[in-house]
Amino acid sequence: MSEYKIIFTGTMGAGKTTAIAAISDTPVVSTDMHNSAPDEHSKELTTVALDFGTLMLDDGDIVRLYGTPGQQRFEFMWGILAKGALGLVILIDNSRPQPLEDLCLFLDNFAGLIAEAGAVIGITCTDKAATPKLDEYYELLLQRKLMLPVFAVDARKKSDVLILLESLFSYLEAAA
Amino acid sequence: MSTSVHGQAKRFSTVGLTQQERQHICDVFPAEINADGIIWSYTDEDDAAVLIVDTNDPDGRRLADTFVSRPGRVLIVMGDMPVNPTQGLYAFARPLTEDLIRRMLGTIISHFTMTGFRSSSFSVAAHAVGRDHSSQTRLIDVLRDLLTKDTDVPAFSISSREFPPLIVSPKAHKVLFGSSWEEFKHANLFAPVEVHDILDTNPNLPRLALDGEPLSHLLWLVGFRSGQGHLLPFVNPQQAFKLIRWPSLCTVELNNAFVKVMSYLSKHAATPATITDQTGISVGEVADLLNACVLCSYVEKVTTEQWAVPTKPTEASLEKRGLFNRIRHKLGMLQTGAAS
């Protein structure tokens, strides 16, 4: 039996816990606490350590789904979680004040995993904030010489989470 | 000035099509009398104003070339493009569904009613068969032409019978839709269009700056839909391409084919045939995606020297692929087409 892991990271409130819950076989184990950084996001509870879900494959292999805490003060954990991961899903809340800068933070902190494996970026909350447009995210990636897929998604929709995963798998297969 | 077609008789012919395909066309064309005011009848190719040919058939190929050399004729090509693709008006893919036949008919009708050109005895717009003029009649051709010019071209409008006018600014790289974007997505993009200059004082120009969509959205949609499963003439089937940026998908529904093809091209240069071999995505879907990518300049051409035919996958990559397929299977991505 082998174990693998996929990392979901991104800003607080972008939908990491929801995305994992949409595909996990087991109820997501979350270490939620009352949000002590209401200036970052208004939600009441937030993940302070990690979210954890599992996918049990037919042959007994397990894919572990980890959601990192979204608050920047927990960035020391991101590298620990990322070690040995198959790939990375970055979720960015478009309605936050500086979503492009948010993305830069995660690109920097997960640069190793992105270079070794790959990543896909999902932009959420585009219904609340129409800008920045996807083109602006692509421009940012071009400036950083990264060619990663960026999609507008709703983390509450399983189909959107699946297209993110399909995109990640296709990207990783092409890179192999 | 539009040419009235009401009550006119038109004759059409087919060469190289199967009996079933010909019957299908014969069933649909006369049924459109009331809708378009043209009485359609079948004839042999010498008398026809409209010829629908399969250029894979030797007779069809020969007749396609001679037919368009006579003025006032409309040629519709089934299957592959003719030897000189600039002479074929439109290429339609198989299978020949009723929807496709109706679209074909709509294309022909719009040529019969094109403004500003004197009708021939068959009421076919004379410029519809010539290379010089026809290159400007479809939205795809107008946009292609636009992209080969300097981006300092002033803003202009594009109008058609099939959709409200568009205002395009190459300089600002924006387009303003006369209707909503959602409505435009379902418009007949094969209809002839006219291009008009607009004045700097046009009140829509400030709106264009504020509410305009990125021009790439229009280019993607038109590029994606214009080939109908075939590479457009400006996309060389022998050419290898590599993705230089991912398309912003606002215009076509995100699907499995898109994700697989773009992922592959983001890592490898490939010809259309190689993309199909490596991704399993059909020739037609690859053609549609490549047409859009080339029109939007999302891909660059790669020379033969820089391009290597893919080697056999390694054991490690096969193992990884197997794992991803098992995850896909687990999540129902293969069976339900959730991502397809």
Side-chain angles (χ1 to χ4, degrees):
Chain A
M1 185 189 77
S2 300
E3 292 190 9
Y4 306 92
K5 62 179 171 180
I6 297 173
I7 306 297
F8 289 72
T9 193
T11 50
M12 189 177 13
K16 299 181 293 293
T17 309
T18 310
I20 293 172
I23 54 173
S24 175
D25 285 334
T26 52
V28 176
V29 177
S30 294
T31 47
D32 282 348
M33 294 288 284
H34 280 285
N35 178 11
S36 60
D39 51 327
E40 285 199 41
H41 199 280
S42 60
K43 70 179 188 175
E44 255 184 48
L45 293 175
T46 192
T47 305
V48 292
L50 51 87
D51 291 316
F52 176 64
T54 48
L55 272 177
M56 312 289 290
L57 304 185
D58 291 345
D59 57 358
D61 285 357
I62 297 175
V63 180
R64 303 202 185 279
L65 310 165
Y66 289 101
T68 70
Q71 292 160 287
Q72 196 175 347
R73 62 199 168 101
F74 292 109
E75 68 180 75
F76 68 93
M77 293 188 63
W78 297 347
I80 300 168
L81 285 172
K83 202 172 177 187
L86 281 174
L88 178 69
V89 177
I90 304 174
L91 294 174
I92 299 293
D93 176 351
N94 212 42
S95 66
R96 279 169 56 92
Q98 304 288 344
L100 292 169
E101 287 179 14
D102 290 338
L103 176 59
C104 287
L105 176 73
F106 293 100
L107 293 175
D108 289 339
N109 278 283
F110 287 94
L113 179 58
I114 293 170
E116 284 167 24
V120 56
I121 299 161
I123 309 299
T124 63
C125 305
T126 51
D127 53 337
K128 292 182 197 161
T131 57
K133 300 263 189 193
L134 289 188
D135 285 321
E136 293 174 69
Y137 286 99
Y138 278 118
E139 285 305 318
L140 172 72
L141 291 172
L142 275 184
Q143 285 166 17
R144 299 173 69 108
K145 299 190 181 351
L146 287 171
M147 195 155 55
L148 304 172
V150 184
F151 306 122
V153 294
D154 183 340
R156 294 164 298 184
K157 291 184 182 169
K158 185 177 179 182
S159 58
D160 282 18
V161 179
L162 292 185
I163 202 73
L164 279 175
L165 285 183
E166 177 55 55
S167 181
L168 181 65
F169 298 159
S170 295
Y171 184 88
L172 297 175
E173 282 171 343
Chain B
M1 186 185 75
S2 293
T3 306
S4 170
V5 296
H6 189 75
Q8 289 182 352
K10 292 286 171 287
R11 284 174 283 190
F12 68 97
S13 190
T14 65
V15 176
L17 272 60
T18 65
Q19 176 68 28
Q20 194 180 13
E21 286 174 330
R22 189 172 62 178
Q23 189 58 51
H24 205 171
I25 292 172
C26 288
D27 289 343
V28 176
F29 270 33
E32 293 295 310
I33 291 172
N34 292 335
D36 299 294
I38 297 177
I39 301 159
W40 288 97
S41 61
Y42 193 85
T43 183
D44 62 39
E45 60 267 16
D46 289 335
D47 275 345
V50 176
L51 182 64
I52 302 160
V53 297
D54 179 352
T55 48
N56 294 328
D57 179 275
D59 284 341
R61 201 176 192 86
R62 179 177 50 78
L63 279 165
D65 287 337
T66 55
F67 187 81
V68 291
S69 65
R70 289 178 286 172
R73 309 294 170 108
V74 172
L75 174 69
I76 299 285
V77 175
M78 294 295 304
D80 294 342
M81 299 292 279
V83 181
N84 179 357
T86 56
Q87 287 194 328
L89 263 184
Y90 294 95
F92 286 93
R94 286 193 165 87
L96 198 53
T97 60
E98 187 163 325
D99 175 60
L100 210 56
I101 297 172
R102 287 184 194 285
R103 206 182 305 170
M104 181 190 293
L105 190 58
T107 299
I108 299 167
I109 296 285
S110 61
H111 277 277
F112 277 70
T113 56
M114 205 172 292
T115 58
F117 291 92
R118 198 154 53 89
S119 303
S120 73
S121 56
F122 288 104
S123 293
V124 180
H127 80 290
V129 292
R131 173 180 179 164
D132 291 342
H133 300 290
S134 65
S135 65
Q136 291 298 313
T137 57
R138 291 186 303 165
L139 190 52
I140 178 77
D141 298 319
V142 169
L143 293 172
R144 176 74 183 153
D145 184 53
L146 154 78
L147 294 172
T148 59
K149 287 182 178 163
D150 197 314
T151 51
D152 278 343
V153 173
F156 56 87
S157 73
I158 300 175
S159 62
S160 163
R161 291 172 61 205
E162 300 290 334
F163 49 82
L166 312 172
I167 296 183
V168 176
S169 170
K171 196 173 181 180
H173 205 72
K174 282 195 166 183
V175 56
L176 184 68
F177 295 96
S179 59
S180 70
W181 169 239
E182 283 302 314
E183 199 178 315
F184 180 79
K185 280 202 291 190
H186 304 291
N188 172 13
L189 303 181
F190 297 89
V193 296
E194 292 180 357
V195 179
H196 305 280
D197 292 334
I198 56 175
L199 300 173
D200 290 344
T201 53
N202 188 302
N204 282 317
L205 286 178
R207 275 190 59 215
L208 173 73
L210 281 175
D211 303 329
E213 293 279 340
L215 184 55
S216 56
H217 294 184
L218 173 67
L219 295 176
W220 180 273
L221 180 71
V222 174
F224 185 78
R225 281 179 44 190
S226 293
Q228 296 195 307
H230 292 83
L231 292 172
L232 290 166
F234 54 81
V235 183
N236 179 352
Q238 309 304 324
Q239 176 71 54
F241 297 95
K242 193 167 193 308
L243 198 69
I244 52 176
R245 66 152 278 187
W246 274 75
S248 310
L249 256 206
C250 295
T251 51
V252 293
E253 208 168 324
L254 192 54
N255 63 25
N256 220 5
F258 172 86
V259 163
K260 281 183 183 295
V261 170
M262 295 309 143
S263 294
Y264 189 79
L265 284 176
S266 71
K267 291 290 177 186
H268 308 275
T271 61
T274 310
I275 298 168
T276 291
D277 285 347
Q278 294 296 312
T279 62
I281 302 300
S282 72
V283 172
E285 286 174 293
V286 169
D288 289 338
L289 288 166
L290 262 186
N291 288 337
C293 279
V294 171
L295 194 64
C296 293
S297 303
Y298 288 150
V299 288
E300 64 181 0
K301 292 177 182 176
V302 175
T303 61
T304 317
E305 293 78 35
Q306 295 170 301
W307 176 62
V309 176
T311 52
K312 278 190 172 177
T314 62
E315 201 170 311
S317 66
L318 285 174
E319 198 176 310
K320 199 168 257 187
R321 198 171 293 181
L323 169 64
F324 294 143
N325 279 338
R326 280 181 285 140
I327 300 175
R328 288 179 174 116
H329 180 77
K330 169 72 188 180
L331 291 172
M333 292 152 78
L334 294 175
Q335 300 96 324
T336 64
S340 63

